[in-house]
Amino acid sequence: MPTILVADDDANIRELVCLFLRKDGFTTMEAGDGKEALAIYGSTPIDLVVLDIMMPTMDGWTLCKELRKTNTDLPLLMLTARGETWEKVKGFELGTDDYLTKPFDPLELTVRVKALLKRYRIGHTQTIQLGQVTLDRQTYKIMRGKDIISLPLKEFELLYKLAETPGQVYTREQLIDQIWGIDYAGDNRTIDVHIKRLRERFNTITDFHIDTIRGLGYRLEVEE
């Protein structure tokens, strides 16, 4: 089973989170601050990190940034005390994949951990299945049954990026950097235009939809 690192300066929260994760079969490691968490990550195979923002020595912001320097594919779940929009935006910009606002239900946390691990397994394949829709990155084709849907390259890359990790919120800045490149000098509202086009192209398909997350960005959701 995956090993989860829980970084929080509150020992009671660490104990509670680890208890619920272990009940679901996960192996857990604990750290009281970001510096300790980074040391554990450097010496132990870790599959996902749950990290608090407000920690002594090294806070969650810095820890998130340092982890992303060494591993761009490590799932990160951030805990925030206030849940303010700017905190969420900053977290996503630094590379976190999801967040929970304290106080939280430990059962919800375990569900989100499982979802993140599943997303990252999907993200390492060259094909993505969204209901009956298949995205093939090797051929840049989208198939639904016998139908083949052709998209301009940037629209395909944008859809594929969102589909790699269903449910994850991406800010406009993240999407611009990852698809157009950090040197892109245009307006980041080009993301809105491409999202609009994707919605228009797939408006009759119910396998998935793209949500606008007010004040944050976009995410793709797969219909059950």
Side-chain angles (χ1 to χ4, degrees):
M1 288 295 290
T3 299
I4 313 299
L5 173 59
V6 180
D8 196 306
D9 61 329
D10 189 325
N12 292 325
I13 290 180
R14 292 201 310 271
E15 182 180 0
L16 181 64
V17 169
C18 289
L19 175 64
F20 275 80
L21 289 173
R22 287 195 296 269
K23 280 184 177 180
D24 270 332
F26 294 106
T27 300
T28 61
M29 303 286 290
E30 297 183 36
D33 58 57
K35 187 175 182 180
E36 183 182 359
L38 207 56
I40 292 173
Y41 177 76
S43 61
T44 308
I46 298 296
D47 297 290
L48 182 146
V49 180
V50 177
L51 60 151
D52 185 31
I53 291 179
M54 303 306 296
M55 294 186 292
T57 311
M58 180 188 291
D59 62 21
W61 305 125
T62 307
L63 175 59
C64 182
K65 189 175 181 179
E66 292 300 315
L67 289 171
R68 275 289 170 259
K69 285 181 181 178
T70 59
N71 189 343
T72 58
D73 294 324
L74 178 68
L76 302 177
L77 174 59
M78 185 170 279
L79 304 179
T80 171
R82 295 184 294 275
E84 295 180 2
T85 298
W86 73 267
E87 285 190 338
K88 300 171 189 175
V89 171
K90 183 175 180 179
F92 286 127
E93 288 177 343
L94 288 174
T96 190
D97 300 291
D98 201 357
Y99 68 89
L100 268 178
T101 302
K102 295 181 180 180
F104 54 84
D105 185 338
L107 288 175
E108 181 181 0
L109 184 139
T110 59
V111 168
R112 287 176 181 261
V113 164
K114 292 177 182 177
L116 276 178
L117 291 170
K118 182 179 179 181
R119 288 180 205 168
Y120 270 83
R121 283 196 294 272
I122 293 172
H124 282 83
T125 66
Q126 288 298 307
T127 60
I128 296 174
Q129 197 71 33
L130 303 174
Q132 298 181 51
V133 176
T134 303
L135 280 64
D136 189 332
R137 195 168 192 177
Q138 290 183 315
T139 62
Y140 287 93
K141 290 182 179 179
I142 299 175
M143 292 153 284
R144 190 174 192 270
K146 295 181 180 180
D147 297 329
I148 297 178
I149 305 168
S150 297
L151 296 181
L153 181 59
K154 291 302 183 186
E155 285 185 32
F156 180 91
E157 291 180 343
L158 176 58
L159 180 60
Y160 195 92
K161 171 54 65 177
L162 293 170
E164 276 186 316
T165 50
Q168 179 177 336
V169 178
Y170 288 92
T171 65
R172 292 182 180 87
E173 290 76 14
Q174 285 177 313
L175 293 171
I176 285 290
D177 289 349
Q178 294 181 39
I179 297 171
W180 276 264
I182 59 175
D183 296 327
Y184 177 73
D187 188 345
N188 66 7
R189 292 290 171 175
T190 189
I191 292 293
D192 301 338
V193 175
H194 282 71
I195 291 290
K196 181 181 179 182
R197 289 175 182 166
L198 286 172
R199 286 171 171 164
E200 290 172 350
R201 293 182 190 277
F202 294 96
N203 65 345
T204 60
I205 292 177
T206 58
D207 301 84
F208 66 91
H209 62 272
I210 300 173
D211 289 335
T212 300
I213 310 303
R214 187 177 179 84
L216 293 176
Y218 296 100
R219 72 180 173 201
L220 182 143
E221 294 285 0
V222 181
E223 298 292 347
E224 296 295 335

